[in-house]
Amino acid sequence: MPGPDRRPGDQVLPLPAEIPLVDEPGGTEVDLKTQIVRFTLTGGLSAIVDYGIYSLLLNLLGWPVSLAKAISFVAGTTTAYLINRRWTFKAEPSRARFFAVVALYAVTFAVQVGINAALYFALPDEWWRQPLAFVIAQGTATVINFVVQRVVIFKIE
């Protein structure tokens, strides 16, 4: 479809597929307090997805720590992005934003998996080792995610 920077016949790439979670229009300004509450609720749900898959792969299937955490991270962050884009920040789909999120998640992936593995192997082999390592790694990545998404990513047009 022609637009201000397109000519008839130009190839138009589709936006990344997303699950429609709400029917509200995007672009609505949401105040900081609302964003923090929504981000926290979304993060809680995403952490449940992440930790559930991590525990299943690590404890029930016996996968290596970093592989189990990597798979669970992808599932949790995908959940978080889809909900945060539509509900927390109310932003329209955007290729630039999508690729910025992919770059951010690559950084937080390294941070989260690295911190989790370092703490998992540094802490004593007690019942609290896995959840403590997970919570510290998750908390660090969550703070990075919120700040970068609020200040940079969801300001991208």
Side-chain angles (χ1 to χ4, degrees):
M1 115 178 49
D5 57 346
R6 292 193 191 116
R7 295 182 308 260
D10 283 353
Q11 182 181 9
V12 177
L13 298 174
L15 292 170
E18 294 186 9
I19 300 167
L21 299 174
V22 294
D23 253 351
E24 300 168 350
T28 306
E29 283 296 318
V30 180
D31 64 81
L32 178 60
K33 181 180 176 184
T34 301
Q35 285 180 344
I36 289 172
V37 169
R38 289 179 179 185
F39 193 86
T40 301
L41 292 171
T42 299
L45 173 63
S46 301
I48 290 168
V49 169
D50 189 339
Y51 191 74
I53 291 172
Y54 176 51
S55 294
L56 172 79
L57 297 176
L58 180 66
N59 300 320
L60 293 179
L61 300 180
W63 287 26
V65 171
S66 293
L67 180 59
K69 186 65 189 103
I71 299 296
S72 71
F73 174 88
V74 170
T77 53
T78 300
T79 302
Y81 171 72
L82 293 173
I83 297 171
N84 279 325
R85 188 194 67 77
R86 297 288 296 213
W87 186 53
T88 305
F89 298 104
K90 293 193 176 194
E92 289 292 326
S94 155
R95 270 186 218 78
R97 183 178 301 114
F98 176 77
F99 290 117
V101 166
V102 169
L104 170 62
Y105 284 172
V107 169
T108 56
F109 173 84
V111 167
Q112 194 176 106
V113 173
I115 290 173
N116 183 77
L119 290 174
Y120 185 89
F121 293 113
L123 294 169
D125 189 9
E126 298 289 336
W127 68 268
W128 46 264
R129 173 176 69 171
Q130 179 189 341
L132 182 61
F134 178 89
V135 166
I136 292 171
Q138 181 75 25
T140 303
T142 298
V143 170
I144 294 168
N145 269 326
F146 181 77
V147 170
V148 174
Q149 286 185 39
R150 176 161 170 70
V151 174
V152 178
I153 292 176
F154 288 104
K155 298 292 183 189
I156 295 172
E157 294 298 321

